[in-house]
Amino acid sequence: MASSIRTQFEIPGKMKTWSLSLIGIGLVALVIGLATKGLSSDEHEQAHFWGTLMYNTIFWTMICNASMFFICATTLAMGGWEQTFRRVCEAISAMVPIFGSITFVVLLYVVLGNKHHIYHWLDSDAVANDPLLKGKSGFLNPKFFIIWTTLTLGFWSLLGWRMRQLGNEADEPMNAEQGASFIWRGTIRAALFIVWFALTVGSTVPWLWMMSLDAHWYSTMYSWYTFASSFVSGLSLIALWVIYLKNKGYLELTNQEHLQDIGKFMFAFSIFWTYLWFAQYMLIWYANIPEETVYFKHRVQGAYKGIFFLNLIINFVCPILILMKRSAKRNYTLMTFMAVLILFGHWIDFYQMVMGSVSKDHVTLGWLDFGILSLFVGMMIYFVGKSLASKPLVQKHHPFIKESVIHVV
């Protein structure tokens, strides 16, 4: 590998300034929100504050975890094309223990604080007098919620850490036998992560954390819908960091071919998300069963109507019109624009999934939401930058690095 390749990232002063400024703005919003809403005697104000924290923590934890899913999925597919920017994915996934810890604290407070105006199934009297809630009480109860949330976040962090630790071995020379062992151990660890990912993101976690906000409603596609939303957002975050590093003169071995493939994934999973969006909505609308339509009624006809359909425009119409062309997926400016737009669009999607149930009659989107968003964006920039600076940007001794260098779409 050429000696001129810049493999050590140095955090620019402007990045530190911006990230710390965003964190500062977010902390101010958090403190003001806690004082005026979180500690208010008004249950609706409390629900606004804790609901805002919930959808932000869940969203950012899940999209960072999607980066590790991307690593593990390509590992199991014996893909080598992503090796030149794999450290970007690792750095983003390293946020899972940080964001996951915040998510755990927020959810723990909501459940142990008996915030039944957020999770209706926390009200024991309501459960006792409601046959539907009583039938779901085997898993919609504080004990199961806390245990499964702890296991979920713990194993996401542990299994992701094990994959990143294995990746460190690719910074040192290895012979053919060591390389084969490296690939085999990576395959085993990736498979373990994928299985746990399927048991959590692919099924139970979206049910517990978000779908149970409307405990009378259910959708068999909800978890897949949430996965599609978080995965395409995770891909967009990867694209932003790759483009940023390219513009700063790093990742010389990553080229337009790699960027186009990331763009293909963004396009494909935007369409997949739309398929699930339409299928979930169309089947429920067509059946017209009251316990199913209750979720959509106040979103399609009530205060959230504008946000509900804006969500579709941003996350489907824009990607299909802009990312369909090959040239668009190779253009740094267009890819940056679309990555930011998709991230914002799915942040809005998580907003309406949570707040559309917590505050059904009023759209609460305002200073608190954008303030908390600033906090998470600032933390993501700061800690991902530190993670990138802690290791070489390219695993130059990875057995598949040559495949990635010569990658052509």
Side-chain angles (χ1 to χ4, degrees):
M1 188 166 293
S3 58
S4 60
I5 298 296
R6 299 173 67 191
T7 60
Q8 196 60 48
F9 176 63
E10 296 179 5
I11 303 175
K14 284 187 177 180
M15 176 188 279
K16 287 183 179 179
T17 302
W18 273 101
S19 61
L20 292 175
S21 297
L22 288 170
I23 291 172
I25 292 170
L27 288 174
V28 170
L30 178 66
V31 171
I32 295 175
L34 179 63
T36 59
K37 298 178 183 295
L39 299 178
S40 171
S41 57
D42 187 338
E43 288 188 347
H44 296 291
E45 292 293 343
Q46 289 184 35
H48 178 195
F49 177 77
W50 292 107
T52 301
L53 286 183
M54 279 176 60
Y55 81 80
N56 274 285
T57 56
I58 293 170
F59 174 74
W60 285 101
T61 301
M62 292 187 73
I63 71 170
C64 290
N65 198 45
S67 288
M68 182 50 65
F69 172 79
F70 176 74
I71 292 172
C72 293
T74 52
T75 297
L76 290 179
M78 290 294 166
W81 68 275
E82 80 292 347
Q83 292 304 325
T84 58
F85 63 89
R86 177 171 170 147
R87 276 277 153 79
V88 173
C89 307
E90 290 185 355
I92 295 172
S93 72
M95 292 300 301
V96 172
I98 299 172
F99 286 157
S101 298
I102 301 173
T103 302
F104 181 75
V105 170
V106 171
L107 292 176
L108 195 68
Y109 180 84
V110 170
V111 172
L112 294 182
N114 196 35
K115 305 295 182 182
H116 56 82
H117 45 285
I118 295 178
Y119 287 124
H120 188 49
W121 48 266
L122 288 172
D123 187 339
S124 56
D125 292 333
V127 173
N129 295 304
D130 190 324
L132 193 59
L133 290 182
K134 198 170 184 178
K136 296 181 179 181
S137 62
F139 64 94
L140 287 186
N141 63 77
K143 186 176 181 179
F144 183 87
F145 186 100
I146 293 171
I147 291 174
W148 195 249
T149 297
T150 303
L151 291 174
T152 295
L153 295 171
F155 278 109
W156 283 356
S157 300
L158 175 62
L159 296 173
W161 174 79
R162 282 174 58 79
M163 281 295 291
R164 290 190 296 273
Q165 288 298 107
L166 181 65
N168 293 339
E169 295 183 18
D171 293 326
E172 302 296 332
M174 59 179 79
N175 56 36
E177 184 179 345
Q178 291 171 326
S181 172
F182 175 85
I183 295 299
W184 173 248
R185 285 179 289 133
T187 302
I188 296 298
R189 295 185 186 191
L192 289 172
F193 181 90
I194 291 290
V195 169
W196 186 245
F197 188 89
L199 289 172
T200 52
V201 177
S203 57
T204 54
V205 162
W207 300 343
L208 285 174
W209 291 355
M210 293 186 292
M211 194 168 77
S212 71
L213 291 166
D214 286 285
H216 287 88
W217 176 78
Y218 69 93
S219 168
T220 55
M221 288 175 282
Y222 192 87
S223 293
W224 282 102
Y225 178 88
T226 306
F227 158 71
S229 187
S230 60
F231 186 52
V232 74
S233 301
L235 291 167
S236 300
L237 192 56
I238 292 170
L240 284 177
W241 276 102
V242 168
I243 293 169
Y244 173 78
L245 291 170
K246 288 289 293 180
N247 285 335
K248 291 296 181 181
Y250 298 98
L251 298 183
E252 295 95 330
L253 299 177
T254 302
N255 53 43
Q256 286 184 322
E257 312 291 340
H258 299 92
L259 188 63
Q260 182 183 345
D261 273 354
I262 298 173
K264 286 178 182 177
F265 273 102
M266 290 165 60
F267 175 79
F269 277 89
S270 291
I271 304 305
F272 179 60
W273 173 87
T274 308
Y275 158 71
L276 293 168
W277 184 97
F278 176 75
Q280 181 173 253
Y281 174 71
M282 184 271 292
L283 291 174
I284 288 175
W285 171 83
Y286 185 79
N288 198 27
I289 300 173
E291 62 264 28
E292 293 186 0
T293 56
V294 64
Y295 176 84
F296 287 102
K297 183 172 176 59
H298 59 275
R299 286 173 169 83
V300 176
Q301 299 177 349
Y304 286 83
K305 181 178 180 178
I307 288 179
F308 186 75
F309 288 106
L310 173 66
N311 176 36
L312 183 64
I313 293 171
I314 294 177
N315 295 324
F316 168 60
V317 177
C318 292
I320 200 171
L321 292 180
I322 297 174
L323 288 179
M324 184 177 288
K325 292 183 63 178
R326 179 177 184 268
S327 58
K329 295 189 283 287
R330 301 167 73 89
N331 184 294
Y332 284 15
T333 302
L334 279 177
M335 279 291 287
T336 300
F337 171 75
M338 283 308 304
V340 172
L341 188 65
I342 288 172
L343 276 167
F344 176 72
H346 287 283
W347 178 75
I348 287 289
D349 191 17
F350 270 66
Y351 166 81
Q352 68 86 20
M353 281 196 283
V354 173
M355 298 307 294
S357 299
V358 171
S359 179
K360 296 181 179 181
D361 299 323
H362 304 284
V363 174
T364 58
L365 194 64
W367 63 269
L368 179 61
D369 302 84
F370 289 102
I372 299 300
L373 175 63
S374 297
L375 174 61
F376 280 89
V377 171
M379 290 177 65
M380 184 271 299
I381 294 173
Y382 181 81
F383 287 108
V384 171
K386 285 191 68 175
S387 181
L388 288 170
S390 67
K391 304 174 184 177
L393 287 175
V394 179
Q395 298 169 324
K396 60 182 180 179
H397 296 292
H398 194 285
F400 290 164
I401 189 65
K402 182 179 179 180
E403 180 182 335
S404 187
V405 171
I406 64 174
H407 176 64
V408 177
V409 176

